Amino acid sequence: MSHPTPSLSHFKRSDYQHIYEPAEDTFLFLDALEKEQGFLTDLNPTVCLEIGSGSGCVSTFLATLIGGSGTLFLTTDINPRANAATLSTAHHNHIPLDALRCDLLPSLRHTIDILLFNPPYVVTPSSEVGTHSIVASWAGGIDGREVIDRVLPLVDGALSKRSVFYMVVVNENRPEEIAERMRMCGFGMEVVLGRRAGNEGLKILKFARQA
Ligand SMILES: C[S@@+](CC[C@H](N)C(=O)[O-])C[C@H]1O[C@@H](n2cnc3c(N)ncnc32)[C@H](O)[C@@H]1O
């Protein structure tokens, strides 16, 4: 039986002019987390952090999936309206969560047990990358990799010893090249789920420290 998607009934249609409306990529991410429920629960995380939380749907889902009063759920987003939206979704679904407005990650050293990121992965001109508006939801620049490539070098320093990082990509982002980069930082990669949605070949990647 599938775990319920968080209620988003507090949003108006017009809210999605300013924050990312959960779409196929979001729902594939939820399906992947649900598939990983046993592993994630066994991890017994203390700190979970989602980069780019948008509506807050993914972190709220994770919190209901693995629960636990001892777990701190944190989110970041560069778009201030997304921080507010994330808090309202958490509140609406009775989830305690803190939403930070920051670029990518706060400087937490070896602290995060579960890291999530559904990045702006669409191939766009570089000039579209780096806004604080709804455009930041999708604009990924060259190969859709410009934001992704800023995150990859931060992962090793931010993650705790027993940790995991999940990220959404499309085929244009060249997942095998991302795997190679992460391998050089000591992380193995596997594909948890993949799905074709329109012209997007979506994948959910899972990175864990190699033994
Ligand atoms: C594809 S949307 C995903 C939203 C939500 N997590 C979901 O799955 O529906 C990407 C999100 O990343 C945010 N974002 C883009 N660049 C960012 C950055 N440098 N730091 C933090 N958040 C960023 C956007 O504002 C947007 O909310």
Side-chain angles (χ1 to χ4, degrees), residues 20 22 25-26 50-54 58 76-79 82 102-104 117-120 136-137 147 150:
Y20 188 74
D25 49 346
T26 315
E50 181 190 4
I51 305 171
S53 57
V58 176
T76 73
D77 208 295
I78 203 160
N79 174 353
C102 80
D103 181 18
L104 303 180
F117 193 23
N118 179 4
S137 298
V147 181
R150 289 177 52 228

Side-chain angles (χ1 to χ4, degrees), residues 58 61 68 78 97-98 116 124 130 140-142 146-147 159 171 199:
V58 176
F61 181 83
I78 203 160
L97 174 156
D98 286 309
L116 308 176
T124 65
I142 297 168
E146 293 190 25
V147 181
L159 259 55
N171 294 335
N199 57 2

Side-chain angles (χ1 to χ4, degrees), residues 23-211:
E24 289 290 344
D25 49 346
T26 315
F27 298 122
L28 186 67
F29 209 179
L30 302 191
D31 289 347
L33 294 174
E34 185 170 13
K35 189 175 171 199
E36 293 283 290
Q37 183 176 17
F39 169 79
L40 293 171
T41 307
D42 288 350
L43 206 58
N44 194 17
T46 305
V47 180
C48 303
L49 187 142
E50 181 190 4
I51 305 171
S53 57
S55 66
C57 179
V58 176
S59 278
T60 299
F61 181 83
L62 178 70
T64 60
L65 191 69
I66 62 172
S69 53
T71 308
L72 177 65
F73 292 93
L74 298 173
T75 65
T76 73
D77 208 295
I78 203 160
N79 174 353
R81 292 184 191 250
N83 304 131
T86 294
L87 282 179
S88 66
T89 297
H91 182 72
H92 185 69
N93 289 274
H94 315 290
I95 293 299
L97 174 156
D98 286 309
L100 313 172
R101 183 178 180 202
C102 80
D103 181 18
L104 303 180
L105 280 167
S107 50
L108 295 170
R109 293 290 298 167
H110 299 304
T111 309
I112 301 164
D113 303 308
I114 300 176
L115 180 65
L116 308 176
F117 193 23
N118 179 4
Y121 55 66
V122 177
V123 177
T124 65
S126 293
S127 56
E128 291 182 14
V129 179
T131 74
H132 294 192
S133 71
I134 184 74
V135 179
S137 298
W138 62 79
I142 297 168
D143 296 329
R145 283 276 295 273
E146 293 190 25
V147 181
I148 290 173
D149 282 351
R150 289 177 52 228
V151 168
L152 301 183
L154 305 177
V155 173
D156 183 28
L159 259 55
S160 69
K161 248 187 190 155
R162 247 181 105 244
S163 55
V164 66
F165 169 40
Y166 296 94
M167 183 169 69
V168 181
V169 294
V170 290
N171 294 335
E172 288 80 358
N173 303 145
R174 300 201 303 262
E176 280 318 314
E177 196 184 287
I178 294 174
E180 187 49 38
R181 287 222 187 161
M182 291 302 284
R183 206 170 292 132
M184 287 163 68
C185 301
F187 287 82
M189 184 190 99
E190 64 179 271
V191 179
V192 179
L193 270 186
R195 188 177 295 159
R196 181 146 281 284
N199 57 2
E200 286 187 341
L202 289 161
K203 288 189 171 66
I204 309 297
L205 308 182
K206 173 183 181 179
F207 301 92
R209 292 189 192 282
Q210 283 166 327

